Amino acid sequence: MTTQEQAAWYRQKIEEALEQALPAPREGDLSGKVREAMRYSLLSGGKRIRPILALAFCEACGGEALSALPFACAVEMIHTYSLIHDDMPCMDDDDLRRGRPTNHKIYGEAMALLAGDGLLTLAFQQGLSFQGDPAAARDGARLLAEYAGAQGMVGGQCIDLEQEGKEVTLEILAQMDRGKTVALIAAACAMGCTAAGAGEKELQAARQFAFGLGMAFQLRDDVLDVLGDAAKLGKNTGMDSARDKRNYVSLLGVEEAQRLVEQYTKEALDALEAFPGDTTFLREFALSLVERES
Ligand code: GRG
């Protein structure tokens, strides 16, 4: 199987599992609206980078990829909730996401807030439905809580809100991105290892990979915010400068930001040496993210 075929296969399994985890509400279901709003964003065709990483890391650690599906779905649910909340008027106030109107534009602010809450909660229900070793289910849920919470993604978003309109240093930016971007990627990689029953050495290497890839991914995102095509990206471009937010490109320029993309990617690829299984997919997948246009 080529890397693209493998990614397509993972994606298909993820889409099926997400659909199964959140079926359409029945006619007359009085709480059906919130499920409809959750489905609108969850099943709207994101790149599924995080769940793919969870499955691929499980495989790289010698596990059966599909056994990690509950963890993979859990991370994607957290990611989707964060996008819904991030797009709301009280945060980034965006009207386009994944090529469609944002959740609150369709369902209203109160329902979008609830849809995010519903996905956050469903994520833990999903993660804890992991069928292997109960200790791995518990460890997976703990990792997710740590990386998604105030020490991780929520903390990164807090730094983002606090820095708006201020002069930001590279150190502050890196701390923000460790939370906003790296944390969930790290959760996905570490949970994949956990699903396979991997040891501390693999977990440490997965964290190192996630740091390199997450930073490279964020830097590429900043480059695309300036140079990218909104139609291909499915979201508006130029948003950071429109909101007076600093990012790597505004601090370092496009060329230096792109050089750092390559440096961090190399760090990520080096970390793959620690894995016993075949890491060709992870290597090529990481490279495809660095070169992405969308
Ligand atoms: C609201 C608690 C809370 C957190 C929000 C995720 C986030 C934190 C903000 C979204 C804005 C942003 C640029 C975050 C950095 C991470 C990132 C690049 C997210 C976009 O991820 P993709 O490209 O999106 O994987 P798709 O749509 O493909 O899933």
Side-chain angles (χ1 to χ4, degrees), residues 54-69 71 130 132-133 135-137 139-140 143 188-199 202-203 275-277:
L55 301 188
F57 266 92
C58 181
E59 215 161 350
C61 292
E64 164 55 49
L66 298 187
S67 71
L69 269 174
F71 287 172
F130 175 74
D133 182 359
D139 288 348
L143 282 167
C189 301
M191 289 167 83
C193 296
T194 302
E202 283 90 356
L203 267 173
F275 290 89

Side-chain angles (χ1 to χ4, degrees), residues 47 50 79 81-82 86 98 157 180-181 217-218 221:
K47 294 184 287 298
R50 296 154 193 81
H79 170 59
Y81 117 71
S82 79
D86 185 63
R98 292 177 169 172
Q157 184 73 352
K180 276 182 67 178
T181 311
F217 185 74
Q218 183 58 56
D221 209 61

Side-chain angles (χ1 to χ4, degrees), residues 45-50 76 79 81-87 91-92 97-98 148 153-154 156-157 160 177 180-181 184 217-218 221 235 292 294:
K47 294 184 287 298
R48 310 305 195 200
I49 292 166
R50 296 154 193 81
E76 186 64 15
H79 170 59
Y81 117 71
S82 79
L83 298 179
I84 296 174
H85 284 187
D86 185 63
D87 289 333
M91 295 223 186
D92 266 2
R97 172 71 67 182
R98 292 177 169 172
M153 182 187 73
V154 169
Q157 184 73 352
D160 191 0
D177 292 330
K180 276 182 67 178
T181 311
L184 274 199
F217 185 74
Q218 183 58 56
D221 209 61
K235 60 179 185 179
R292 77 197 162 96
S294 63

Side-chain angles (χ1 to χ4, degrees), residues 179-230:
K180 276 182 67 178
T181 311
V182 173
L184 274 199
I185 292 179
C189 301
M191 289 167 83
C193 296
T194 302
E200 196 45 48
K201 178 174 155 250
E202 283 90 356
L203 267 173
Q204 196 46 42
R207 286 195 191 98
Q208 194 193 324
F209 172 88
F211 176 70
L213 182 67
M215 293 302 285
F217 185 74
Q218 183 58 56
L219 279 145
R220 183 69 190 151
D221 209 61
D222 290 353
V223 170
L224 289 173
D225 190 54
V226 178
L227 299 183
D229 172 351

Side-chain angles (χ1 to χ4, degrees), residues 2-270:
T2 65
T3 298
Q4 274 112 334
E5 285 165 349
Q6 176 98 21
W9 183 77
Y10 283 148
R11 245 178 228 119
Q12 185 199 331
K13 296 296 169 192
I14 291 160
E15 297 304 332
E16 287 167 9
L18 289 173
E19 173 68 44
Q20 213 181 340
L22 187 58
R26 292 215 192 91
E27 275 279 308
D29 178 348
L30 291 181
S31 60
K33 187 61 111 189
V34 71
R35 293 165 63 97
E36 211 187 285
M38 288 158 76
R39 282 172 59 85
Y40 175 80
S41 293
L42 186 66
L43 308 176
S44 65
K47 294 184 287 298
R48 310 305 195 200
I49 292 166
R50 296 154 193 81
I52 289 177
L53 287 171
L55 301 188
F57 266 92
C58 181
E59 215 161 350
C61 292
E64 164 55 49
L66 298 187
S67 71
L69 269 174
F71 287 172
C73 291
V75 183
E76 186 64 15
M77 285 170 184
I78 297 275
H79 170 59
T80 307
Y81 117 71
S82 79
L83 298 179
I84 296 174
H85 284 187
D86 185 63
D87 289 333
M88 289 180 66
C90 60
M91 295 223 186
D92 266 2
D93 195 8
D94 245 315
D95 52 13
L96 188 66
R97 172 71 67 182
R98 292 177 169 172
R100 303 207 289 175
T102 44
N103 198 289
H104 65 275
K105 287 279 164 194
I106 302 288
Y107 294 98
E109 284 181 45
M111 200 52 74
L113 189 68
L114 277 187
D117 294 341
L119 286 167
L120 165 56
T121 327
L122 185 58
F124 285 94
Q125 189 181 335
Q126 267 299 297
L128 289 164
S129 75
F130 175 74
Q131 291 297 304
D133 182 359
R138 182 201 63 206
D139 288 348
R142 184 180 45 76
L143 282 167
L144 189 59
E146 282 172 10
Y147 281 118
Q151 293 162 281
M153 182 187 73
V154 169
Q157 184 73 352
C158 168
I159 298 175
D160 191 0
L161 292 178
E162 297 274 283
Q163 298 306 319
E164 216 163 305
K166 293 186 191 157
E167 284 308 320
V168 175
T169 61
L170 274 177
E171 288 70 32
I172 294 176
L173 209 51
Q175 218 182 313
M176 178 179 93
D177 292 330
R178 249 179 198 271
K180 276 182 67 178
T181 311
V182 173
L184 274 199
I185 292 179
C189 301
M191 289 167 83
C193 296
T194 302
E200 196 45 48
K201 178 174 155 250
E202 283 90 356
L203 267 173
Q204 196 46 42
R207 286 195 191 98
Q208 194 193 324
F209 172 88
F211 176 70
L213 182 67
M215 293 302 285
F217 185 74
Q218 183 58 56
L219 279 145
R220 183 69 190 151
D221 209 61
D222 290 353
V223 170
L224 289 173
D225 190 54
V226 178
L227 299 183
D229 172 351
K232 276 194 202 159
L233 289 165
K235 60 179 185 179
N236 298 319
T237 51
M239 295 312 283
D240 281 346
S241 67
R243 291 190 190 103
D244 199 20
K245 274 190 182 178
R246 304 289 169 268
N247 66 24
Y248 290 103
V249 172
S250 63
L251 287 188
L252 299 171
V254 171
E255 244 172 64
E256 176 63 5
Q258 187 57 39
R259 193 192 65 76
L260 284 174
V261 169
E262 276 138 44
Q263 184 184 310
Y264 280 119
T265 306
K266 184 177 178 313
E267 280 180 33
L269 298 184
D270 288 348

